[in-house]
């Protein structure tokens, strides 16, 4: 890459527009840019870097600081660069964001940052991201690399010399792209932390399972179980304790189940014996009483038989009527129950109809909302490119606005150049007239001088006196004096004529100078306008600018209308983007509500159908259709039974009571005798009280066994689950601890934190290879500039195992054979070492950038701090770099007001000086 022309407008200290014809520097050699502090030397570098990458050359300056505070409000701030790369010519122009007067009306408006790149094929890129990418592709390096290999900014490259390992690591990370190693270290750190957390989680899980161990109070295993719960045992020991508790409780459960089974059998036998004994006791008592009552009841029964004979014929009818009335009465509750359930069914049906109406309304609302949402979705789909269209139209409008402004400025420049051309023509005519007058006066004065000189003998003769020596020959006699011509001029006339000729000559020189200044201004303005014309019009003539301006303004009007429409579409898209998601969520909730409501309707419909079917079946099984008919039938049967009962009541009562008493007594005697006849055996010898006491004691024993079994079974199940889960957790913990061990070892190695070892990180280790190559290249320059005294060397051994190391820098002093830190160098020595290191870094980056070639190198640093010998060596090195097809530009303060400052004087004759 080689700059050809640089135009700066309202940029830094440059209030107006300045064009530097950098192509006049040639293609190789060393040149100096010098000037007073604040004159704008570094701004030249800033403008080149900003035009290419959108950022100034130094890290301490920001693009927002580039607007000149001396510029007129209407003067645009921009940097335009024409450069050559790979044998092809490119033009690039950028402007930062700044405030400018409004084109119409009062007040200020913000001029947005913009970029424009003209390619050799005539295409023009205006999007900043496209321009940035194209510049990186054309030059082959990004801004950070460019500042390290092509533009060594003021005060920047000495930082690398005095940096420590950590600072150099950060610098090399971006230059040599070693962030992948830092990312790998970070991933190892994250993985180590994750493994550690996994181990902690596994430990907590195992501790949780161990903490759930159950052990009976007083059990011999209680102390060990308590230690296991507190986590004082190793994992195998804890598992062994749990296993012993499981085995122990399993045996206990088996024993208790057998004991409970034996107790149940004993209780069953004892209950049977007690029941038989209690039955026999009751039978003996009741049999004795029955025998005493039998005679009396037999006599009463005989009397009742006679009274009953008369009423027996009507008894069956009475009993049938009474039975029917009772049966009907018992069934009346079914009618009440059926009526209540039928009312419930009717209510359920009303609720179901309401639910169906509500469901229909929800479906309608859901359908309307879904249709509206689909319409908005379709509209949103049609607005997909609305935002992009606004950005593109805005960029096109801004580019077109800049082009219109540039065309207007070009027309203004053309008018100004026309005025300059007329002023130059007038100055040239004035110069020619002054020159002709000076020539005439010079000839007149010369003629007078010749005439005056020719008559000098006559003038001297007038002053000769006899006896006085002649001033020419010394004779005191003057026999033949020269005579004075009649038209001889006086010396005063000659002096007046020569003064007039000298004044005319001065006027001629002044006119020449004025014409020369105007000619230089005209040439510079014409060249600047030609660069602008080429950037704006290509091969078209400048006269087409007015037509192009009219076209641009017309296109701007149409484009503004299109932009407003695009903004409206973009705003509509933003509104849809904001409204659609909550409506989609609401529709989803409505749909879920519809599904839930449909399920509820289906469930209630099924329940109602089942209830209706059940009611129909029960209604069909009824004897009478209605409760009223059933009650009437009941009342009829009851009335008939009452009439029959009244007629035979007395006889029937006596007979029934006697018969029932006698029959009951005889039946009871037979049953009691049967009970007494059964039984026998061992239980006959045991009374009921003893059996009841034994049964109570056995039941108490059985309850105690059951409680012990329940507790043992609970401990068994809990400990079995704890053993299973604890074993799994322990195995998981072992696996995670093994992984954590080797991951942590790998991380400590990569991060340089192995105890007792040098703290050399993986990324730093990779960077040492680059650093060694940089130092080899740098030492070539430093040996030459220091007269063979110094070599830079990377420190191999760490001075402090507690700090990061690997990129520390020492210097070898070959004069006294010492090796010490670079911080011990003096100011001038540090400058030479810094310059050498920067040059080595530049060469290494350029070598590692895939064969990228940069034909120009810029160095912005204070060479005035060096002594003459050191300065001469430094300039010799830089001139060596400028050999072949490479230009090296140096910015430095001049040591005096001489137009040829010391650095330039120390450079070879081919060096070129630029005074700012």
């Amino acid at each position: 890459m080689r700059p050809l022309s640089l135009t700066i407008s309202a940029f830094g200290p440059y209030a107006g527009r300045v064009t530097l014809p950098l192509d006049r520097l040639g293609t190789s050699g060393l040149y100096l840019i010098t000037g007073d502090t604040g004159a704008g030397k570094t701004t030249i570098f800033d403008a080149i870097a900003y035009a290419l990458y959108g950022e100034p050359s130094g890290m301490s300056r920001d693009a927002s600081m580039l607007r000149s505070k001396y510029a007129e409000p209407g003067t645009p701030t921009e940097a335009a660069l024409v450069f050559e790369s790979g044998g092809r010519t490119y033009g690039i122009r950028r402007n930062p964001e700044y405030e400018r007067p409004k084109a119409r009306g009062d007040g200020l408006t913000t001029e947005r940052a913009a970029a424009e790149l003209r390619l050799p094929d005539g295409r023009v890129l205006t999007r900043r991201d496209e321009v940035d990418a194209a510049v990186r592709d054309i030059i082959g390096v990004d801004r950070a690399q460019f500042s390290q290999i092509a533009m060594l900014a003021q005060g920047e490259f000495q930082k690398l010399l005095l940096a420590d390992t950590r600072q150099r690591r950060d610098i090399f990370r971006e230059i040599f792209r070693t962030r992948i190693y830092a990312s790998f270290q970070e991933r190892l750190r994250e993985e180590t932390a994750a493994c550690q957390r996994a181990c902690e989680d596994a430990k907590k899980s195992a501790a949780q399972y161990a903490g759930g161990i159950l052990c009976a109070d007083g059990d011999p295993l209680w102390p060990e179980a308590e230690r296991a719960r507190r986590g004082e045992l190793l994992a195998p020991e804890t598992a062994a304790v749990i296993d012993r508790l499981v085995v122990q409780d399993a045996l206990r459960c088996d024993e208790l189940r057998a004991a409970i089974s034996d107790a149940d059998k004993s209780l069953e036998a004892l209950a049977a014996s007690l029941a038989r004994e209690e039955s026999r006791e009751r039978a003996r008592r009741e049999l004795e009483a029955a025998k005493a009552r039998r005679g009396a009841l037999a006599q009463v029964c005989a009397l009742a038989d006679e009274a009953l004979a008369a009423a027996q014929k009507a008894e069956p009818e009475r009993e049938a009527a009474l039975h029917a009335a009772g049966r009907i009465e018992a069934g009346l509750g079914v009618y009440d129950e059926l009526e209540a359930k039928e009312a419930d069914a009717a209510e359920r049906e009303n609720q179901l109809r309401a639910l169906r109406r509500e469901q229909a309304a929800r479906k309608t609302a859901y359908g309307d909302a879904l249709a509206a949402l689909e319409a908005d979705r379709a509209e949103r789909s049609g607005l997909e490119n609305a935002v992009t269209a606004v950005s593109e139209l805005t960029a096109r409008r801004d580019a077109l606005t800049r082009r219109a402004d540039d065309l207007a400025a070009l027309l203004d420049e053309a008018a100004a150049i026309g005025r300059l051309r007329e002023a130059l023509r007038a100055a040239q005519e004035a110069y020619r007239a002054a020159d002709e007058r000076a020539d005439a006066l010079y000839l007149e004065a010369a003629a007078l001088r010749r005439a005056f000189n020719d008559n000098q003998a006559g003038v001297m003769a007038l002053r000769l006196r006899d006896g006085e020596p002649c001033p020419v020959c010394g004779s005191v006699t003057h026999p033949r004096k020269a005579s004075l011509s009649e038209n001889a001029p006086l010396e005063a006339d000659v002096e007046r004529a020569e003064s007039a000729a000298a004044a005319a000559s001065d006027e001629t020189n002044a006119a020449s100078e004025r014409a020369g200044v105007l000619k230089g201004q005209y040439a510079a303005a014409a060249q600047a306008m030609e660069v602008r014309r080429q950037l704006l019009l290509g091969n078209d003539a400048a006269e087409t600018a007015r037509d192009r301006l009219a076209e641009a303004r017309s296109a701007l009007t149409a484009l503004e209308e299109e932009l407003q429409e695009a903004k409206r579409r973009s705003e509509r898209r933003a509104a849809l983007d904001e409204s659609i998601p909550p409506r989609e969520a609401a529709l989803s909730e409505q749909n879920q509500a519809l599904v839930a409501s449909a399920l509820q309707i289906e469930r209630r419909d099924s329940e109602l159908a089942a209830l209706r079917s059940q009611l129909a079946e029960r209604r069909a099984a009824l004897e009478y259709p209605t409760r009223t008919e059933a009650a009437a039938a009941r009342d009829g049967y009851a009335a008939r039974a009452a009439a029959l009962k009244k007629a035979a009541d007395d006889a029937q009562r006596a007979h029934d009571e006697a018969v029932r008493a006698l029959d009951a007594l005889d039946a009871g005697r037979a049953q009691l005798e049967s009970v007494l006849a059964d039984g026998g055996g061992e239980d006959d010898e045991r009374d009921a009280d003893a059996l009841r006491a034994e049964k109570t004691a056995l039941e108490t024993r059985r309850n105690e066994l059951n409680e012990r079994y329940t507790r043992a079974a609970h401990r068994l199940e809990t400990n079995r689950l704890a053993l299973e889960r604890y074993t799994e957790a322990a195995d998981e913990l072992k696996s995670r601890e093994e992984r954590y061990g080797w991951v942590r070892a790998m991380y400590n190695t990569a991060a340089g934190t192995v105890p007792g070892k040098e703290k050399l990180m993986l990324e730093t280790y990779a960077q040492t290879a680059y650093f060694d190559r940089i130092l080899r290249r740098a030492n070539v320059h430093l040996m030459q500039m220091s007269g063979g005294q110094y070599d830079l060397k990377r420190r191999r051994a760490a001075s402090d195992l507690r700090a990061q190391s690997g990129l520390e820098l020492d210097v070898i002093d070959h004069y006294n054979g010492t090796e010490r830190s670079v911080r011990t160098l003096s100011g001038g020595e540090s400058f030479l070492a810094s310059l050498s290191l920067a040059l080595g870094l530049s060469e290494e980056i350029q070598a590692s950038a895939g064969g990228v070639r940069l034909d120009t190198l810029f160095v912005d640093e204070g060479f005035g701090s060096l002594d003459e010998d050191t300065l001469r060596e430094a300039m010799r090195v830089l001139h060596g770099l400028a050999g072949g097809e490479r230009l090296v530009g140096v910015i430095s303060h001049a040591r005096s007001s001489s137009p040829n400052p010391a650095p330039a004087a120390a450079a070879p004759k081919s060096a070129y000086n630029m005074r700012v």
Side-chain angles (χ1 to χ4, degrees):
M1 193 283 295
R2 185 167 66 89
L4 300 178
S5 175
L6 175 65
T7 299
I8 307 173
S9 175
F11 195 94
Y14 295 90
R17 178 178 295 272
V18 177
T19 299
L20 301 179
L22 300 177
D23 55 343
R24 291 170 57 187
L25 298 174
T27 60
S28 64
L30 182 67
Y31 64 92
L32 176 68
I33 300 176
T34 185
D36 297 331
T37 299
K41 303 182 297 300
T42 301
T43 305
I44 296 173
F45 284 8
D46 285 339
I48 293 174
Y50 179 75
L52 290 174
Y53 295 102
E55 297 180 47
S57 61
M59 301 301 292
S60 60
R61 292 179 292 277
D62 186 78
S64 62
M65 304 162 54
L66 299 179
R67 171 74 176 173
S68 176
K69 61 183 179 181
Y70 308 109
E72 294 294 331
T75 304
T77 295
E78 63 181 17
L81 177 69
V82 179
F83 66 94
E84 179 186 274
S85 181
R88 308 178 72 186
T89 302
Y90 302 84
I92 187 169
R93 184 187 66 83
R94 289 183 191 264
N95 67 272
E97 182 175 297
Y98 64 93
E99 298 291 328
R100 63 170 176 80
K102 292 182 178 179
R104 290 182 294 272
D106 298 330
L108 298 176
T109 185
T110 300
E111 178 72 21
R112 300 297 180 186
E116 181 180 287
L117 175 64
R118 182 177 295 276
L119 301 175
D121 58 5
R123 290 185 299 119
V124 178
L125 305 180
T126 57
R127 290 181 53 181
R128 292 173 61 187
D129 54 348
E130 291 181 348
V131 172
D132 294 342
V135 169
R136 287 193 297 270
D137 292 340
I138 293 169
I139 300 179
V141 294
D142 58 21
R143 188 264 181 188
Q145 292 174 323
F146 185 80
S147 65
Q148 294 288 344
I149 66 178
M151 188 166 288
L152 308 181
Q154 186 177 33
E156 295 291 333
F157 58 84
Q158 194 170 9
K159 293 180 181 178
L160 185 60
L161 178 73
L162 302 179
D164 57 17
T165 292
R166 189 182 305 275
Q167 293 167 332
R168 286 198 183 97
R169 184 177 65 238
D170 294 341
I171 295 171
F172 290 161
R173 176 179 298 152
E174 301 302 326
I175 296 174
F176 297 111
R177 306 184 189 280
T178 60
R179 187 176 295 276
I180 184 174
Y181 301 102
S183 299
F184 178 65
Q185 293 169 200
E186 180 63 19
R187 288 186 60 186
L188 283 178
R189 187 192 66 78
E190 293 173 354
E191 182 66 19
T192 301
C195 289
Q196 186 177 14
R197 289 193 299 270
C199 288
E200 294 298 329
D201 293 343
K203 286 180 181 178
K204 291 178 182 178
S205 179
Q208 179 181 358
Y209 295 134
I213 298 172
L214 297 180
C215 182
D217 295 339
D219 192 293
L221 291 176
W222 173 266
E224 293 186 64
E226 186 64 21
R227 292 182 62 197
R229 281 195 289 263
R230 293 197 299 265
E232 298 176 359
L233 300 180
L234 298 177
E237 295 174 338
T238 300
V241 170
I242 302 175
D243 185 62
R244 289 167 62 189
L245 289 172
V246 168
V247 172
Q248 179 176 281
D249 283 332
L251 293 174
R252 286 177 181 171
C253 285
D254 292 341
E255 294 173 355
L256 290 171
R257 274 196 301 268
I260 291 172
S261 178
D262 293 343
D264 287 339
K265 292 177 182 178
S266 299
L267 276 173
E268 185 178 354
L270 189 59
S273 298
L274 180 60
R276 287 193 299 271
E277 184 59 31
E278 289 176 343
S279 178
R280 284 193 294 271
E281 284 184 353
R282 285 192 304 272
R284 282 192 291 269
R285 289 192 301 271
E286 292 173 1
L287 184 58
E288 292 299 329
K291 288 178 180 180
R293 293 175 58 198
R294 179 68 174 80
L297 284 175
Q299 188 176 10
V300 173
C301 186
L303 294 173
D305 284 341
E306 295 176 0
L308 183 61
Q312 280 183 342
K313 291 182 179 180
E315 185 66 21
E317 182 182 355
R318 186 192 69 79
E319 290 180 353
L322 188 62
H323 176 72
R327 177 175 52 77
I328 293 173
E329 177 66 26
L332 288 177
V334 175
Y335 290 97
D336 296 335
E337 182 183 353
L338 284 175
E339 288 178 0
K341 288 188 176 181
E342 285 173 349
D344 180 49
E347 178 63 25
R348 290 190 181 189
E349 189 168 3
N350 290 335
Q351 294 176 355
L352 187 58
R353 282 196 292 271
L355 284 175
R356 284 184 174 135
R357 288 194 298 272
E358 184 180 353
Q359 177 76 345
R362 286 181 175 177
K363 282 185 178 180
T364 301
Y366 177 81
D368 294 342
L370 181 59
L373 179 61
E374 291 299 333
D376 285 350
R377 282 173 174 167
E379 183 182 0
R380 168 64 178 78
S381 178
L383 299 173
E384 185 66 33
N385 298 324
V387 176
T388 305
V390 170
S391 299
E392 292 177 352
L393 289 172
T394 301
R396 287 171 54 194
R397 181 198 64 187
D398 294 343
L400 200 55
T401 300
R402 290 193 300 272
R403 179 167 177 78
D405 293 342
D406 291 342
L407 288 170
L410 182 62
L411 291 173
D412 293 341
E413 284 188 40
I417 288 173
R419 291 191 294 272
L420 273 176
R421 184 169 52 248
E422 292 301 322
L424 175 61
R425 185 178 297 111
Q428 289 174 339
E429 290 295 332
Y431 165 74
R432 283 193 289 271
D435 186 56
E436 290 174 358
R437 181 171 178 275
D439 287 344
L441 291 175
Y442 175 78
L443 293 175
E444 181 182 351
L448 288 174
R449 173 59 66 182
R450 284 196 300 273
F452 176 76
N453 291 336
D454 291 342
N455 287 280
Q456 281 301 302
V459 172
M460 292 177 64
L462 293 176
R463 299 186 185 131
L464 289 177
R465 299 288 184 267
D466 291 336
E468 295 178 355
C470 176
V472 176
C473 63
S475 176
V476 294
T477 62
H478 314 290
R480 295 181 61 187
K481 296 181 180 178
S483 61
L484 183 63
S485 172
E486 184 177 353
N487 296 323
L490 299 177
E491 186 174 8
D493 296 333
V494 174
E495 290 175 352
R496 281 194 298 272
E498 288 179 343
S499 296
S505 177
D506 291 340
E507 289 180 4
T508 301
N509 291 336
S512 175
E513 185 176 353
R514 285 195 297 272
V517 170
L518 287 174
K519 183 177 182 181
Q521 292 177 349
Y522 173 76
Q527 184 179 14
M529 191 187 75
E530 179 60 17
V531 172
R532 181 182 288 273
R533 185 197 64 76
Q534 289 180 359
L535 288 174
L536 293 175
L537 304 176
N539 296 326
D540 293 343
E543 289 73 16
T544 63
R546 196 172 303 281
D547 295 336
R548 297 287 181 87
L549 178 59
E551 293 172 0
R553 288 174 175 169
S554 176
L556 268 175
T557 302
L559 191 61
E560 188 64 35
E561 296 177 355
E562 188 176 356
L563 177 59
Q564 294 304 318
E565 176 61 18
K567 286 182 177 179
R568 185 196 65 76
R569 289 167 55 83
S570 176
E571 291 171 355
R572 177 58 179 164
R573 173 189 166 179
L576 290 175
D577 287 341
E578 183 177 357
S579 66
I580 286 176
R583 290 166 61 194
E584 290 176 338
L587 275 177
S588 177
E589 293 177 358
Q590 289 179 353
N591 186 41
Q592 293 175 3
L594 282 173
V595 173
S597 179
L599 293 175
Q600 183 183 15
I601 290 173
E602 182 179 355
R603 177 175 56 78
R604 290 197 176 188
D605 192 41
S606 299
E607 292 174 354
L608 181 60
L611 181 58
R612 291 289 190 192
S613 177
Q614 180 183 5
L615 291 174
E617 291 176 359
R618 295 188 66 182
R619 179 68 73 178
L622 292 174
E623 184 176 0
Y624 299 97
T626 65
R627 189 182 190 282
T628 302
E629 295 176 5
R634 178 202 64 188
D635 294 342
Y637 280 119
R640 180 61 180 166
L644 292 173
K645 182 174 177 58
K646 184 173 177 57
D649 188 42
D650 294 339
Q652 184 65 47
R653 184 184 301 109
H655 179 268
D656 287 345
E657 289 178 356
V659 171
R660 283 196 298 272
L662 185 60
D663 290 343
L665 185 61
D666 289 342
R669 286 180 61 192
Q671 184 178 3
L672 291 172
E673 289 173 353
S674 175
V675 170
L676 291 173
D678 292 337
E682 295 180 359
D683 289 340
D684 293 340
E685 301 177 357
R686 305 174 65 185
D687 59 14
D689 292 336
L691 289 173
R692 278 192 288 272
E694 185 177 354
K695 180 174 178 286
T696 301
L698 190 56
E699 286 177 343
T700 302
R701 170 63 179 165
R702 198 267 181 198
N703 290 337
E704 292 177 354
L705 290 173
N706 193 57
E707 290 178 2
R708 290 172 59 192
Y709 174 77
T710 300
R711 290 194 297 270
H714 175 63
R715 289 196 306 273
L716 177 61
E717 185 61 25
T718 300
N719 290 338
R720 275 180 177 169
L721 182 61
L723 178 60
E724 179 183 351
R725 300 288 175 81
Y726 181 80
T727 302
E728 294 175 356
D731 293 342
E732 180 68 16
L733 175 60
K734 181 180 179 182
S735 174
R736 291 181 177 181
E737 285 179 339
E738 290 176 353
R739 176 175 175 80
Y740 174 58
W742 64 260
V743 170
R744 181 177 59 183
M746 184 181 295
Y747 169 68
N748 288 338
T749 302
T753 57
V754 178
K757 300 292 186 178
E758 181 181 355
K759 294 188 179 300
L760 181 62
M761 297 171 61
L762 175 62
E763 182 184 17
T764 306
Y765 178 75
Q767 290 173 349
T768 57
Y770 293 107
F771 197 26
D772 289 341
R773 293 204 295 267
I774 292 169
L775 293 179
R776 284 196 294 272
R777 296 177 184 274
N779 282 331
V780 173
H781 304 304
L782 182 58
M783 286 289 287
Q784 183 176 354
M785 284 190 283
S786 65
Q789 182 177 0
Y790 293 119
D791 256 339
L792 295 175
K793 178 182 179 182
R794 182 173 63 84
R795 189 179 301 166
R796 303 294 179 177
S799 58
D800 184 0
L801 294 180
R802 294 173 297 179
Q804 291 290 336
S805 61
L807 297 177
E808 300 297 323
L809 189 60
D810 289 333
V811 63
I812 300 175
D813 189 339
H814 292 289
Y815 286 5
N816 54 28
T818 61
E819 183 175 332
R820 63 183 190 272
S821 172
V822 293
R823 295 181 179 274
T824 63
L825 293 173
S826 66
E829 293 169 341
S830 294
F831 174 78
L832 294 181
S834 300
L835 178 60
S836 301
L837 193 58
L839 294 175
L841 178 62
S842 171
E843 294 166 358
E844 176 58 29
I845 295 176
Q846 187 163 335
S848 62
V852 173
R853 174 161 182 82
L854 296 172
D855 301 311
T856 303
L857 173 66
F858 304 95
V859 181
D860 185 1
E861 195 47 70
F863 286 86
S865 63
L866 304 180
D867 58 59
E868 293 294 338
D869 293 337
T870 305
L871 175 61
R872 187 177 295 105
E873 294 299 330
M875 297 307 295
R876 183 177 293 113
V877 169
L878 291 177
H879 185 64
L881 293 175
E885 295 296 326
R886 194 177 193 187
L887 270 172
V888 177
V890 176
I891 284 183
S892 183
H893 293 287
R895 293 193 174 186
S896 66
S897 58
S898 169
N900 295 314
K909 293 182 179 179
S910 60
Y912 179 87
N913 301 328
M914 183 185 300
R915 180 74 179 179
V916 177

